Amino acid sequence: MTDTPDAPAETASEPETADVLVVGSGIAGCAAALQAAREGSDVLLLTKATKPDDASTDWAQGGISTTRGDPESLKEDILDASDGTADPDAVDTLVENADDAVEDVLLDTLEIEFDETEGGEFDYTREAAHSEYRILHVDAATGTHILRPFLNHVDDHENIDVRQDTAALELLTHEGRVHGVLTDEETTGHPIYAGATILATGGIGALYTRSTNPDDATGDGIAMAALAGADVADLEYVQFHPTAYAGDDPFLLSEALRGEGAVLRNGDVSESEDSEARETESPGGERFMDDYHPQGDLAPRDVVARAVETEREETGEVVLDVSTLEGEFAEEYPAIAEKCRDRGVEGDEIPVAPCEHFLCGGIDVDENGRTSLDRLYAVGECARTGVHGANRLASTSLLEGLVWGLRAGGDAVESGADPEIVEAPELRNSDPELPERFAAEKSIRLKRTMDEYLGLERDPDEIARASAVLRRLKGEVDAYIRTRTARDLYELRNASVVALLIARAASENTESTGCHYVVSEGESAAEQPADD
């Protein structure tokens, strides 16, 4: 009787690897993936988005700044808007690479059809705190017109694999080096190993009740990097846009509107006894921005946002009057006009209020997007390049994402690291699922804390209260996440980590600078000296 040969043993599947791994599908992530692929690397781009409007880039309205051949002028405007806090070297990197990046990617590669004049030249516009007309735009929906063709181009590239509806949960680290990420593709986590990992996960809008960002902007990249030990900086500088629709379901009213002549008015309606004067006065209230800043309605965002909030408190409302635009509002800005109609806003006066818009700080990076952890890069809103300092100049976010995305993608390839397989943690998913509304209800608590204590104005005692509430909240989330693997729980974990980091940074900075405005208890911004 002959022995039957043993059946071949089952072999474990090979670990998944990529030369360059990009997490995030906005303009910064797409730019990083494109540049790495151009230089011959196999690129895997992960995104938890399932459609373009889940990315912050798709929500960007105003446009993308260029230098129009005068980088020094743009640099001066960026530094001025930042209240003198932007890093001059980082600003040099931005302005010196701006026009080449726009021409290479947006004009030559993607062939974006930016608005033109009747003469066939680019219709450059101007926004608040810009001294020149230098901003390229498509209507007031520039982000949409850039991102969608960019995603299509990246998706069609032979060296890039795009994986949607996939969330990164943890960074894979070993001895100060990042080796990839753990995703939610399996209930206990799916590791993906990479020679270089580039975080391009966007901002933190989901930490506030009112935001111009997508609902899934939960600060994932910042939290993962910070938990892995990466340096973060300037997290107290949360920028609020001054002109978002004041009602339910807020949306952005682009700064381009004020750049082209729209004005802000408060609720103080003139009661002139002169009938002829009454006929010529606006049915809205008085213009007020000249009382706050020499640039009036075109002052830096932080100044305008605080002024709008003060006037809303003192006079009942603030409206953006579009009757003073050079062109017809509905014809020049059809996308914004449609959103107004959808919300029942008729006429030329649109009620506005400040709304969380952009995080100026984030994961600390150098001129090539390198973080303090080896083989980890960060680009876009999750990164702190130093360009924005304490307050961002309008229409520089898309530009920063494009420039740093290209630089990080190229540097990741040049570093030439091969993927290394390290031990990946196995997540536990043993306990029953939590109630459907669990994460949502905890998120509401977090948002209310951020709204109340870490908004436009911050009081040191209230920052301390916020820290205490957020620590308790994070402790609760950590207790549940130890035995459950669910995307909404990890997003809540990430949001609570970033919220705590913002509170800590705010408590350590006792002076008002840019977006970070410190007032003593019972004092408002209106009672403090106006910016020069």
Side-chain angles (χ1 to χ4, degrees):
M1 182 175 165
T2 56
D3 292 334
T4 304
D6 293 333
E10 291 186 8
T11 57
S13 59
E14 289 293 321
E16 184 172 11
T17 64
D19 295 336
V20 176
L21 173 65
V22 179
V23 184
S25 58
I27 190 171
C30 286
L34 175 63
Q35 189 60 31
R38 281 173 164 178
E39 298 189 20
S41 286
D42 289 329
V43 181
L44 175 58
L45 187 151
L46 301 181
T47 174
K48 65 178 182 179
T50 54
K51 50 189 177 181
D53 57 9
D54 284 338
S56 296
T57 297
D58 196 67
W59 292 41
Q61 286 188 1
I64 184 165
S65 184
T66 66
T67 73
R68 292 193 74 178
D70 187 359
E72 193 60 34
S73 173
L74 177 57
K75 178 180 179 178
E76 290 175 6
D77 287 350
I78 291 172
L79 291 171
D80 288 346
S82 76
D83 204 8
T85 60
D87 179 349
D89 292 336
V91 180
D92 282 339
T93 297
L94 182 76
V95 301
E96 289 168 5
N97 291 276
D99 292 353
D100 287 344
V102 169
E103 183 174 357
D104 169 23
V105 177
L106 303 187
L107 299 180
D108 294 345
T109 302
L110 303 180
E111 299 180 348
I112 305 298
E113 295 182 355
F114 291 107
D115 288 354
E116 297 182 346
T117 65
E118 291 182 359
E121 298 181 350
F122 286 130
D123 181 29
Y124 292 100
T125 190
R126 178 188 174 200
E127 296 186 12
H130 280 269
S131 60
E132 304 289 344
Y133 285 79
R134 57 165 76 98
I135 298 165
L136 292 170
H137 62 99
V138 185
D139 178 25
T142 308
T144 293
H145 289 276
I146 288 175
L147 182 60
R148 299 186 184 209
F150 208 164
L151 281 170
N152 290 335
H153 183 81
V154 165
D155 199 27
D156 290 340
H157 200 290
E158 62 180 359
N159 289 351
I160 303 174
D161 178 18
V162 177
R163 191 171 302 169
Q164 299 186 65
D165 194 21
T166 303
L169 304 179
E170 308 278 1
L171 292 175
L172 298 176
T173 62
H174 182 66
E175 296 181 347
R177 175 174 290 173
V178 173
H179 296 278
V181 301
L182 199 65
T183 76
D184 65 352
E185 294 170 276
E186 297 175 14
T187 56
T188 55
H190 172 67
I192 300 174
Y193 302 94
T197 302
I198 303 175
L199 297 175
T201 54
I204 61 160
L207 275 64
Y208 290 85
T209 302
R210 286 174 49 83
S211 174
T212 61
N213 290 276
D215 293 337
D216 64 354
T218 46
D220 300 336
I222 299 169
M224 288 190 294
L227 290 171
D231 293 340
V232 296
D234 290 351
L235 287 171
E236 69 269 39
Y237 298 130
V238 181
Q239 185 178 75
F240 290 77
H241 200 287
T243 56
Y245 171 60
D248 295 334
D249 193 13
F251 65 93
L252 186 64
L253 290 154
S254 171
E255 221 150 25
L257 291 165
R258 281 177 286 133
E260 295 297 325
V263 297
L264 290 162
R265 299 185 185 277
N266 62 21
D268 283 340
V269 179
S270 175
E271 297 182 357
S272 171
E273 296 181 1
D274 185 334
S275 59
E276 184 176 340
R278 283 202 305 272
E279 291 177 2
T280 61
E281 289 167 351
S282 167
E286 299 174 353
R287 294 185 62 176
F288 57 86
M289 275 309 306
D290 286 343
D291 296 333
Y292 289 87
H293 196 276
Q295 289 177 284
D297 290 285
L298 296 181
R301 279 181 180 167
D302 62 314
V303 178
V304 182
R306 290 193 296 271
V308 167
E309 187 63 20
T310 298
E311 295 295 322
R312 278 171 51 82
E313 292 173 356
E314 294 183 353
T315 71
E317 73 167 351
V318 169
V319 299
L320 184 66
D321 181 0
V322 296
S323 68
T324 51
L325 286 169
E326 293 184 9
E328 188 68 29
F329 171 57
E331 293 180 4
E332 297 292 329
Y333 302 95
I336 297 177
E338 181 180 0
K339 289 182 179 179
C340 289
R341 290 193 297 271
D342 289 344
R343 291 159 179 77
V345 178
E346 303 290 343
D348 294 325
E349 295 184 339
I350 307 163
V352 296
C355 193
E356 190 281 333
H357 184 58
F358 189 86
L359 179 64
C360 297
I363 307 164
D364 201 20
V365 300
D366 67 9
E367 69 276 7
N368 291 314
R370 292 190 181 196
T371 72
S372 60
L373 297 179
D374 189 23
R375 300 190 187 181
L376 179 68
Y377 296 76
V379 294
E381 192 173 349
C382 73
R384 183 269 186 194
T385 63
V387 163
H388 308 304
N391 185 57
R392 179 171 72 81
L393 178 68
S395 287
T396 54
S397 60
L398 294 180
L399 181 63
E400 179 198 36
L402 178 63
V403 168
W404 257 265
L406 294 173
R407 293 176 71 83
D411 194 80
V413 176
E414 188 176 331
S415 296
D418 293 324
E420 293 181 27
I421 309 304
V422 298
E423 184 176 356
E426 186 169 305
L427 304 178
R428 293 178 62 188
N429 196 32
S430 54
D431 284 1
E433 290 185 9
L434 292 166
E436 186 177 343
R437 291 284 302 165
F438 175 84
E441 289 170 359
K442 298 289 186 186
S443 178
I444 290 170
R445 183 168 144 208
L446 184 148
K447 290 178 180 181
R448 287 175 176 167
T449 302
M450 298 297 287
D451 291 343
E452 187 171 357
Y453 301 132
L454 289 160
L456 271 173
E457 300 175 11
R458 288 95 179 264
D459 173 87
D461 292 336
E462 292 184 344
I463 295 171
R465 293 189 196 108
S467 296
V469 172
L470 294 168
R471 277 195 299 272
R472 288 195 296 272
L473 177 61
K474 182 179 180 298
E476 293 171 14
V477 176
D478 286 345
Y480 288 109
I481 212 169
R482 290 189 189 102
T483 55
R484 296 172 178 86
T485 303
R487 186 180 302 186
D488 58 353
L489 269 180
Y490 272 85
E491 288 179 328
L492 182 58
R493 187 278 308 264
N494 293 336
S496 62
V497 167
V498 177
L500 268 171
L501 290 171
I502 291 171
R504 180 190 300 171
S507 69
E508 293 172 351
N509 187 349
T510 59
E511 299 199 3
S512 295
T513 311
C515 302
H516 177 60
Y517 208 82
V518 183
V519 296
S520 59
E521 193 167 356
E523 183 182 27
S524 71
E527 295 170 315
Q528 293 206 356
D531 291 34
D532 293 332

